Each structure stands twice: as structure tokens, then as C-alpha cells.
Amino acid sequence: MAASVLLPGLGRLFEMPAALVHVSRAYSKPQAFTEVLQLPQRQLTKFVFPLQELQRHLRSDSTSDLHLKIFDPSLEQIAKAESFFAATARNRIEYLSSAVRLDHAPDLPRPEVCFIGRSNVGKSSLIKALFSLAPEVEVRISKKPGHTKKMNFFKVGKYFTLVDMPGYGYRAPEDFVEMVETYLKERKNLMRTFLLVDSVVGIQKADSIAIEMCEELALPYVMVLTKIDKSSMGHLLKQVLQIQKFVNTKTQGCFPQLFPVRFCCTFVLFPP
């Protein structure tokens, strides 16, 4: 979806990364992007632009294309975008409400983005990391899959609303299909769906069903690959290439570029 056709104010949101809290295990506390910029160049590229690091390991004669240049923000744009998730008196980041049905959801004028994925894919951990610059916002994380049972709505300043959807697959809510499909189909201000896929195991049957749902509803969505630090480089590259081929040949509504994130870190981009 081009920024020019988005609601007023959303264009700036999708022209740059919406959040960056991307640090190594050595940084156990949330770090400002200005501190990340002090990392050595190789480490900085690995953390901030993981697709570039993967591309480096491809053979020079490879025909595989990871679409690196479709959405290629500068470091300055990333630094500026960090402010979206920084809680201040003028930029309130807060939990709004939860709902099990669309008619129970808050009626909000702002654009919405939602995060959806298989149980235990790391969705709540990702959202918690997004809100690390707003520590008063509580995002519950459980080691047990299927912890999220409702649609949870979070206000991200004046920019948009973020919706944490229940996980599908193992221990999904009994009314998951009705709850989620109705939301995706009828929510008028839903602008982008972020579909999380575990990069260790690739696209599973439950993921395929979710992808089919997005395609049938003609939703603009982005595929986010989680846990990229849980595999060897060889295994990760194999999985990424397989998923990229799937996106290229089997989808129409999915943004062409994949967005990898680490299990312990966060690097999320809102593409145009």
C-alpha cells in the first residue's frame, strides 16, 4: 500500500521504520538508537540490517533476490522513527482495552496495525520489545504457548493503534477463527497486518491457513521472521530463501521484502 493513499498522518509512519530496539545480548536494558550507532560497522549491519548480512553469504552468481532495496531506510530515518514508541507527556503510549469480539473492540479513529502469528512464535516478546521505551505499558509474556486469548489494543501516541491478536495453532482460543477473521475482514481502519513466522521451522500448516486468510481478504500484510538467532547461518539462509520464494510465487498481498527479527532483540519496519 503506497503511502500516498493512506489516511492523513499515516504516510510518515510507513515511510520509515516504526520502531527500533535492536541490541545484542550484552545490552540487557533498552538502548537508545544513538547508542546502537556506536557499535562497530559489521555488528551494526548485523543487528540493524540483517537481510544485508544474509545477502553477504549468498554466492555471487546466485539468482536469489532478498529485495533489499524495496524498503531501505537510512540510519537517520531509523533514529527519527524511534520517537514513535518513546513515551512522553505529548506522546502517550498506553494499553487501551481487550476484546473477544469485534463489536467489543474500542471504536478508534486512528489507523491500526495488527500482529498475528502461531502460538509461541514470539509475538508478545516482539510487542513487549517495541514498547521498551514505554516501560509503564505492560505486555504479558508466558513461556507457555497460547497465552494471549483476546485482542489487545495499544495506543501509540497520535500515530496509530497496535493490536496484539491471539496466537493460532496450539492452545488457540475456541472462537479464534470467528474473532480474528471478523476483525481482519471488517475492521475499516486496519492498514497493515504483520504475520509472524518462526524462521527456525519455516512456514507451517497453521501459517499457510493464516496466509490464505490474508490473501482471500486482500489484506496488505508483511511477513516477519522471528528467532533468526536460533539457527546456524546455513539453516537460516536456507529457510529465508524458501520463504522468500514462497512470497514471490504464492502471494499477492504480502510485501515482497521479509523482515527478520532476533528472539532477544527487535527490529521492526513498517514498509510503504
Side-chain angles (χ1 to χ4, degrees):
M1 180 179 295
S4 60
V5 300
L6 298 177
L7 295 177
L10 195 62
R12 289 181 296 114
L13 172 65
F14 286 111
E15 288 171 356
M16 61 184 68
L20 176 71
V21 185
H22 198 332
V23 293
S24 68
R25 292 181 186 277
Y27 292 86
S28 59
K29 296 181 180 180
Q31 302 290 311
F33 187 55
T34 52
E35 295 182 45
V36 178
L37 290 174
Q38 304 306 313
L39 295 172
Q41 183 61 45
R42 179 72 180 277
Q43 194 175 10
L44 178 67
T45 300
K46 181 179 179 181
F47 289 150
V48 180
F49 303 110
L51 281 181
Q52 291 184 18
E53 180 70 13
L54 289 172
Q55 185 78 38
R56 194 177 65 83
H57 289 271
L58 288 175
R59 290 173 47 180
S60 59
D61 60 347
S62 174
T63 58
S64 300
D65 185 3
L66 298 181
H67 304 298
L68 297 181
K69 299 301 181 182
I70 293 179
F71 184 59
D72 187 24
S74 67
L75 293 175
E76 290 75 16
Q77 287 176 317
I78 295 174
K80 183 178 180 180
E82 185 182 42
S83 63
F84 287 150
F85 282 87
T88 65
R90 307 181 82 179
N91 189 57
R92 298 187 62 182
I93 314 293
E94 58 185 345
Y95 162 79
L96 294 174
S97 65
S98 299
V100 295
R101 289 171 24 191
L102 183 58
D103 56 0
H104 292 170
D107 185 12
L108 304 169
R110 290 181 296 275
E112 284 185 1
V113 297
C114 77
F115 285 67
I116 187 172
R118 191 165 53 88
S119 298
N120 205 35
V121 74
K123 177 171 54 63
S124 294
S125 296
L126 174 59
I127 294 174
K128 185 177 180 65
L130 285 174
F131 290 134
S132 63
L133 296 180
E136 69 281 1
V137 176
E138 181 181 3
V139 180
R140 296 182 179 180
I141 297 177
S142 175
K143 294 182 178 180
K144 295 182 179 180
H147 177 76
T148 305
K149 299 296 185 182
K150 300 178 180 180
M151 299 181 289
N152 299 316
F153 294 78
F154 298 88
K155 175 184 177 182
V156 183
K158 62 182 180 181
Y159 301 106
F160 61 97
T161 301
L162 186 152
V163 186
D164 181 10
M165 307 294 284
Y168 51 78
Y170 180 68
R171 294 189 65 195
E174 294 182 1
D175 55 351
F176 173 85
V177 174
E178 179 181 358
M179 181 196 314
V180 174
E181 185 173 5
T182 301
Y183 171 84
L184 295 177
K185 184 177 181 180
E186 300 182 11
R187 193 67 164 176
K188 302 299 184 183
N189 53 338
L190 176 62
M191 293 295 160
R192 184 77 59 169
T193 297
F194 289 84
L195 197 157
L196 277 61
V197 173
D198 187 334
S199 67
V200 178
V201 298
I203 296 174
Q204 302 292 291
K205 183 178 180 180
D207 297 315
S208 296
I209 295 174
I211 292 170
E212 289 175 6
M213 183 185 302
C214 290
E215 290 288 331
E216 290 176 1
L217 297 175
L219 297 175
Y221 65 103
V222 175
M223 204 168 294
V224 178
L225 307 185
T226 64
K227 308 180 185 180
I228 65 170
D229 55 337
K230 295 297 182 180
S231 298
S232 66
M233 178 58 68
H235 179 76
L236 175 62
L237 190 56
K238 179 182 177 181
Q239 291 283 33
V240 168
L241 291 176
Q242 288 179 346
I243 297 171
Q244 185 68 72
K245 182 178 180 180
F246 178 91
V247 170
N248 293 346
T249 60
K250 303 293 185 181
T251 72
Q252 294 184 349
C254 186
F255 191 73
Q257 185 174 326
L258 302 174
F259 289 83
V261 296
R262 297 173 182 275
F263 187 78
C264 59
C265 313
T266 303
F267 180 53
V268 174
L269 302 174
F270 284 136

